[in-house]
Amino acid sequence: MSADTSSLTLNRLSVYLRCLEHLEHEGVEQISSAALAERFDLSASQIRKDLAQFGDFGIRGVGYDVSLLRRRLVDLFSLDEENPLLILGIGNLGTALARFPGFHRNGFRLVGLFDSDPEKVGRRVAGLEIRPPEEIAPTVSRTDVRLGILAVPAEAAQESYAELVAAGIEAVLNFAPVRLREDPAVPVKNVDLRIHLEELVFRLANGV
Amino acid sequence: MSADTSSLTLNRLSVYLRCLEHLEHEGVEQISSAALAERFDLSASQIRKDLAQFGDFGIRGVGYDVSLLRRRLVDLFSLDEENPLLILGIGNLGTALARFPGFHRNGFRLVGLFDSDPEKVGRRVAGLEIRPPEEIAPTVSRTDVRLGILAVPAEAAQESYAELVAAGIEAVLNFAPVRLREDPAVPVKNVDLRIHLEELVFRLANGV
DNA sequence: GATTGTGAATAGATTCACAGCT
DNA sequence: AGCTGTGAATCTATTCACAATC
């Protein structure tokens, strides 16, 4: 299947999923691409093209069945299962992420919290006990967790990424403001909060 | 000046800034676009094109002066001043963001925390007292804060955005997983953590 | 009559390749 | 001799416009 889908398309599909959840909650049953675009300030032809990559989800002359399309997208992203996650680095940000509701429902489940600081090991956050990094590999074997969230300080990020790779983690969401040297088998998605602020400040200073 | 710079370019410039900070810390004084690209897995011609949009920062035959280029980028993003920020919604995520070191140095300064929950008003987080949303407007007048971070639950996001707009905030970083109906004068950048996880899960399930 | 799915057209971003400096 | 800055070439993404379908 289309493994060559761009990040742009995939990320828009996630947005459509949020919109559909919203509409289903409101009790809307059918919607056309034009109405969806109007309602959430999207592009109708882009919605159709994005969706058409994965199947004929709509009905010509009618539109899309909100609930059915939502289920299709949930299925596309394997969100019907509970995808296990672990977090390495339980500082301020790691703690907040551990408590973040979106990581406990909606297709994800936190199965481990790790920190190299012996002071933190043994504490409980969000119902899980913080464990030392040596225990990542056993957790991977036990739970089949494939996704790791990296929330360590910038200095430790490269080394911590290597620990995740060595333990068998297959993809990493990196919150450290550092460009990691990637292992080709373990893709990294970076989330750098300052990047967004910097863009907004630039635009404010330069008139959009 | 080029106010028509794409987000793609601006975000890469932020990445270059991180790389230069790293290099300066290591004591590197000069670097060519090719070496920079090699070191951080970037594209040399793209680095040159991105930088050339804002001036002739390099020296032909030599490369870029690390410290000088870093200062140019800091200047470009107005990070030499301390850009004031406020946060609306001091739950788990808002609290973590308030404590996030990147929002206290590196060109930003938190000047206000707001929450509509009377239980929370009066508590102190990261050295600031949480205040009710009515006090956003006075804070805007007093501190000239232009940037607001929205960290409220999804249901409250649209209304809270409207409060920020009404109080005179000029740009918003939205952490709620909702597409906001935007006021054309107050741009929104969305940070949806689930989007990234969903992309990674999709790629794992479909072989990159 | 309305709306999808899609090839063709346009717009935008990246890479190439080299002339122009140091 | 080496590396930047940049137009031209390529690649990617978005929008248009309409035939196919309900």
Side-chain angles (χ1 to χ4, degrees):
Chain A
M1 215 242 259
S2 18
D4 56 340
T5 313
S6 79
S7 293
L8 261 31
T9 303
L10 286 175
N11 294 346
R12 280 193 303 265
L13 289 169
S14 288
V15 170
Y16 305 158
L17 177 53
R18 304 287 177 281
C19 297
L20 291 162
E21 284 166 352
H22 193 110
L23 288 171
E24 196 174 20
H25 194 74
E26 279 185 355
V28 179
E29 291 181 6
Q30 296 268 330
I31 196 159
S32 68
S33 58
L36 190 57
E38 158 64 25
R39 178 79 169 67
F40 297 100
D41 194 27
L42 304 162
S43 145
S45 60
Q46 190 151 64
I47 291 169
R48 294 201 300 278
K49 195 149 250 178
D50 287 339
L51 294 175
Q53 267 191 65
F54 296 98
D56 291 9
F57 298 150
I59 303 167
R60 288 165 200 240
V62 179
Y64 299 89
D65 180 299
V66 171
S67 158
L68 179 63
L69 181 57
R70 185 191 58 73
R71 289 201 304 276
R72 297 286 197 139
L73 292 180
V74 163
D75 196 49
L76 186 71
F77 285 114
S78 318
L79 300 175
D80 37 356
E81 305 149 45
E82 290 219 305
N83 297 281
L85 290 180
L86 62 78
I87 306 181
L88 175 53
I90 314 299
N92 279 320
L93 188 59
T95 302
L97 294 172
R99 289 178 179 151
F100 184 53
F103 291 177
H104 291 274
R105 17 173 209 279
N106 301 116
F108 295 98
R109 199 180 90 251
L110 209 50
V111 299
L113 303 179
F114 301 90
D115 201 295
S116 59
D117 180 354
E119 289 279 304
K120 285 182 185 155
V121 170
R123 286 192 206 160
R124 294 185 78 82
V125 175
L128 285 169
E129 192 182 317
I130 301 175
R131 304 303 311 157
E134 305 87 83
E135 295 184 23
I136 299 176
T139 302
V140 170
S141 321
R142 199 179 66 246
T143 63
D144 283 323
V145 55
R146 305 175 77 188
L147 272 170
I149 297 176
L150 197 51
V152 301
E155 312 80 66
Q158 186 67 57
E159 190 191 351
S160 297
Y161 170 67
E163 285 182 319
L164 290 175
V165 172
I169 286 292
E170 294 170 66
V172 170
L173 190 62
N174 173 41
F175 284 84
V178 181
R179 257 196 88 78
L180 298 174
R181 277 181 174 280
E182 288 186 35
D183 180 308
V186 183
V188 174
K189 276 283 281 191
N190 294 295
V191 182
D192 184 335
L193 303 178
R194 273 166 57 205
I195 284 185
H196 303 296
L197 288 178
E198 287 170 5
E199 180 184 345
L200 288 173
V201 169
F202 176 88
R203 297 206 182 280
L204 285 178
N206 295 273
V208 173
Chain B
M1 213 241 260
S2 17
D4 56 341
T5 313
S6 79
S7 293
L8 261 30
T9 303
L10 287 175
N11 295 346
R12 280 193 303 264
L13 289 169
S14 288
V15 169
Y16 305 157
L17 178 53
R18 303 288 177 283
C19 296
L20 291 163
E21 283 165 354
H22 192 111
L23 288 170
E24 196 174 21
H25 194 76
E26 279 184 353
V28 179
E29 291 180 6
Q30 298 267 332
I31 196 159
S32 69
S33 59
L36 190 57
E38 159 65 26
R39 178 78 169 67
F40 296 100
D41 194 27
L42 303 163
S43 145
S45 60
Q46 189 150 66
I47 291 169
R48 295 200 300 279
K49 195 149 252 181
D50 288 339
L51 295 175
Q53 266 190 66
F54 296 97
D56 290 9
F57 298 151
I59 304 167
R60 288 166 200 240
V62 179
Y64 299 89
D65 180 298
V66 171
S67 158
L68 179 63
L69 181 57
R70 185 190 59 73
R71 290 201 303 275
R72 297 288 197 136
L73 292 181
V74 162
D75 196 50
L76 186 71
F77 284 114
S78 318
L79 300 175
D80 37 355
E81 305 149 45
E82 290 219 305
N83 297 282
L85 290 180
L86 62 77
I87 306 181
L88 175 52
I90 313 300
N92 279 320
L93 189 59
T95 302
L97 294 172
R99 290 178 178 151
F100 183 54
F103 291 178
H104 291 275
R105 17 172 210 277
N106 301 117
F108 295 97
R109 199 180 89 251
L110 210 49
V111 299
L113 303 179
F114 301 90
D115 202 296
S116 59
D117 180 354
E119 290 278 305
K120 285 182 184 154
V121 170
R123 285 192 206 162
R124 295 186 79 81
V125 175
L128 286 169
E129 192 181 317
I130 301 175
R131 305 301 312 155
E134 305 88 82
E135 296 184 23
I136 299 175
T139 302
V140 170
S141 320
R142 198 179 67 245
T143 63
D144 283 323
V145 54
R146 305 175 76 188
L147 272 169
I149 297 176
L150 197 51
V152 301
E155 312 80 66
Q158 187 66 57
E159 191 191 351
S160 298
Y161 170 68
E163 285 181 320
L164 290 175
V165 173
I169 286 293
E170 293 171 67
V172 170
L173 190 61
N174 173 40
F175 284 84
V178 179
R179 259 197 88 77
L180 298 174
R181 277 181 174 281
E182 288 186 36
D183 180 309
V186 184
V188 175
K189 277 282 282 191
N190 294 294
V191 182
D192 184 335
L193 303 177
R194 273 167 56 206
I195 283 185
H196 303 295
L197 288 178
E198 286 171 3
E199 180 184 344
L200 287 173
V201 169
F202 176 88
R203 296 205 183 280
L204 285 177
N206 296 271
V208 172

